[in-house]
């Protein structure tokens, strides 16, 4: 699990050329009447989150304070633990455990842990510029508290030496990563990672400018939040064919809900697929029959609450 990584020059997060950032992931357990019930909180926390929680609590009491030792970048990335707590539905009382001396096995269902809702979600899509031979990934954040940020990291999967390029993304500040495919014989392959299972993987080949022969895939993805009881959160995939021949897309569920679907798109046409989620989580791999090197993966979680 990659820790958030500050970009070069981030104030108070570098010692010379050495980035501080967050350390390796460590377990954190919250035990209280407001966390009881078997929940997982997937917002990024670190050791300063407890201080941020005290700040939030003190502000609620009308006695605000602000710790000067937390950098602005770290504040934007780390949550204040409020997304892990439910003050409206406490569950007080003693907890009952099996007597350890009895050595009795405890049955635990695979899905016994329930995710806490989040008010924000990340996204990333790509566009190809055939005139310049470049591929640009646009990283965004939707929703969340004011000044909330997420850390994205981009890694080449092929054609380039290993590297990690960090980006800090807020709802008001999108970021872009550009791959120069002219330097890699038209090919590209890279992945983008963030927290809570977020992955984007893109691979393919940029067709020369003006070329329309064959099948040319292009996918647009929109993340749609739930609308009450009408439908759960879904990913809307618009499958384009910019070429001159029909093309078969295959959509495969890598995890969570969904089924394998084959979708034929005529030349110059498009088709829409609504992909389901499981409590907001999705993971789908898209391939085409016309190009075995072309593949895209979309995985992550769509916001499941509007509360900030």
């Amino acid at each position: 699990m990659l820790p958030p990584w500050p970009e070069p020059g981030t104030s108070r997060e570098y010692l010379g050329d050495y980035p501080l950032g967050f350390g390796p992931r460590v377990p954190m357990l919250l035990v209280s009447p407001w966390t009881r019930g078997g929940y997982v909180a997937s917002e990024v926390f670190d050791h300063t989150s407890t201080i941020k929680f005290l700040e939030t609590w003190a502000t609620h009491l009308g006695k605000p304070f602000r710790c000067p030792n937390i950098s602005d970048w770290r504040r934007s990335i780390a949550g204040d633990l409020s997304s892990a707590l439910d003050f409206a539905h406490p569950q007080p009382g003693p907890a009952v455990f099996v007597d350890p001396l009895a050595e009795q096995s405890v049955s635990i269902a695979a899905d016994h842990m329930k995710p806490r809702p989040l008010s924000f979600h990340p996204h990333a899509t790509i566009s190809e510029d055939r005139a310049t031979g470049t591929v640009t990934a646009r990283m965004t954040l939707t929703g969340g508290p004011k000044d909330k940020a997420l850390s994205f990291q981009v890694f080449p999967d092929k054609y380039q030496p290993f590297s990690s390029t960090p980006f800090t993304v807020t709802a008001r500040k999108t970021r872009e990563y550009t791959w120069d495919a002219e330097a890699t014989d038209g090919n590209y392959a890279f992945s983008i990672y963030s927290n809570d299972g977020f992955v984007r993987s893109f691979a393919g080949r940029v067709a020369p400018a003006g070329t329309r022969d064959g099948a040319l895939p292009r996918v647009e993805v929109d993340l749609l939040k739930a609308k009450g009881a009408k439908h759960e959160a879904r990913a809307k995939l618009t499958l384009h064919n910019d070429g001159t021949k029909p093309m078969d897309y295959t959509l495969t569920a890598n995890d969570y809900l969904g089924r394998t679907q084959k979708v034929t798109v005529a030349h110059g046409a498009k088709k829409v697929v609504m992909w389901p989620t499981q409590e907001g989580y999705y993971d789908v791999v898209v391939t085409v029959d016309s190009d075995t090197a072309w593949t895209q993966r979309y995985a992550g979680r769509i916001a499941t609450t509007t509360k900030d």
Side-chain angles (χ1 to χ4, degrees), residues 121-189:
H121 63 244
H123 193 17
T125 57
I126 67 165
S127 60
E128 294 183 5
D129 187 332
R130 293 166 186 159
T132 61
T134 57
V135 179
T136 300
R138 183 172 182 265
M139 293 162 276
T140 61
L141 175 64
T142 298
K146 180 183 177 181
D147 298 327
K148 179 63 183 176
L150 288 182
S151 175
F152 292 69
Q153 294 183 54
V154 183
F155 296 86
D157 296 319
K158 281 183 177 180
Y159 312 119
Q160 290 186 4
F162 174 82
S163 64
S164 172
T165 307
F167 294 92
T168 300
V169 179
T170 69
R172 292 178 292 179
K173 185 178 181 181
T174 63
R175 302 299 303 274
E176 291 186 347
Y177 168 83
T178 298
W179 177 292
D180 181 9
E182 286 193 344
T184 53
D185 196 27
N187 300 301
Y188 63 92

Side-chain angles (χ1 to χ4, degrees), residues 183-267:
T184 53
D185 196 27
N187 300 301
Y188 63 92
F190 61 92
S191 294
I192 307 172
Y193 295 87
S194 189
N195 69 298
D196 203 12
F198 179 89
V199 181
R200 295 289 187 269
S201 291
F202 304 109
R205 181 178 176 82
V206 180
T211 300
R212 294 183 60 83
D213 294 338
L216 296 176
R218 176 168 57 90
V219 179
E220 295 177 299
V221 178
D222 298 299
L223 304 181
L224 308 180
K225 296 177 65 174
K227 291 185 178 180
K230 188 174 182 180
H231 65 70
E232 297 289 335
R234 295 177 294 176
K236 177 184 177 183
L237 290 88
T238 304
L239 311 176
H240 295 262
N241 182 356
D242 294 335
T244 58
K245 295 181 180 179
M247 176 174 52
D248 290 333
Y249 282 92
T250 300
L251 283 69
T252 306
N254 190 65
D255 201 352
Y256 307 113
L257 298 181
R259 60 180 177 82
T260 299
Q261 300 184 47
K262 291 187 179 295
V263 181
T264 300
V265 182
H267 65 88

